[in-house]
Amino acid sequence: MSALLRIRWTIAPKTAPRPLINCNRCGGTKPYQCSEKFRVNANGKRIDAWLIYRCINCENSWNFGILERCNRRDIEPALLAALESNDPALARRHAFDTTAIRSRIGRVEEFSEVAVRKQVLDGGQENTVALELQLELEMPTSLRLDRLLAVELGISRSRLQVWEDKRLLVVAPEGPRPCAGRPARAR
Ligand SMILES: [Zn+2]
């Protein structure tokens, strides 16, 4: 019999960030949405690959460079096959790479909604006195840790703050206080 209930939350962001681009077709700054399709261009031995984005208003495209003038023999065959078949996992990995997108475009619209998959690891008997949550992030998210805990546990953020002040809520590894506005990052 364990007094500890251990649960794992696997957290995946729901909506890919959208670069804000000055659209030269419909005019003005518009969010561009990931099409989840790649374009691969082979010019002799040189390969370029882009992830295609479309203006949400006029469908105009923007190409997010993934490979730029790479020598074919330097590219893993599996990677090339994934690009050519619009592999969803590969598209997702690049579509959620906010840092890389921001380095090209500057302004990016981010979304904090996440999907949380919950799995009981052990414990949960009648005498449970403590809950241990293991958070696994598929990728970095802009969601704040206190907001995630409040929504998923169904309690207010002020209550979380009280727990933290009384040391009833402890975060490991130790870092900034969870109620101080720290975005949830990988463990
Ligand atoms: Zn447009």
Side-chain angles (χ1 to χ4, degrees), residues 23 26 30 32 55 57-58 60:
C23 183
C26 67
K30 296 282 157 55
Y32 273 52
C55 173
N57 190 50
C58 74
N60 193 30

Side-chain angles (χ1 to χ4, degrees), residues 14-72:
K14 272 187 184 165
T15 310
R18 301 194 299 196
L20 296 169
I21 295 174
N22 193 358
C23 183
N24 58 17
R25 190 190 285 173
C26 67
T29 301
K30 296 282 157 55
Y32 273 52
Q33 189 155 350
C34 182
S35 70
E36 295 169 26
K37 301 268 185 287
F38 291 102
R39 210 180 96 209
V40 181
N41 192 22
N43 185 359
K45 273 186 257 167
R46 299 281 169 189
I47 306 272
D48 290 283
W50 303 271
L51 185 58
I52 309 299
Y53 282 71
R54 300 223 171 257
C55 173
I56 61 160
N57 190 50
C58 74
E59 297 269 299
N60 193 30
S61 66
W62 172 67
N63 297 339
F64 172 29
I66 307 295
L67 297 177
E68 281 168 53
R69 300 193 54 73
C70 283
N71 198 314
R72 183 183 281 272

Side-chain angles (χ1 to χ4, degrees), residues 146-180:
D146 59 339
R147 218 163 268 177
L148 171 76
L149 292 174
V151 169
E152 296 298 328
L153 296 173
I155 55 171
S156 67
R157 281 197 276 157
S158 53
R159 183 130 174 239
L160 273 176
Q161 184 73 64
V162 170
W163 287 0
E164 199 193 354
D165 292 343
K166 291 185 175 170
R167 302 281 294 163
L168 293 171
L169 169 67
V170 178
V171 179
E174 240 180 287
R177 291 158 58 96
C179 296

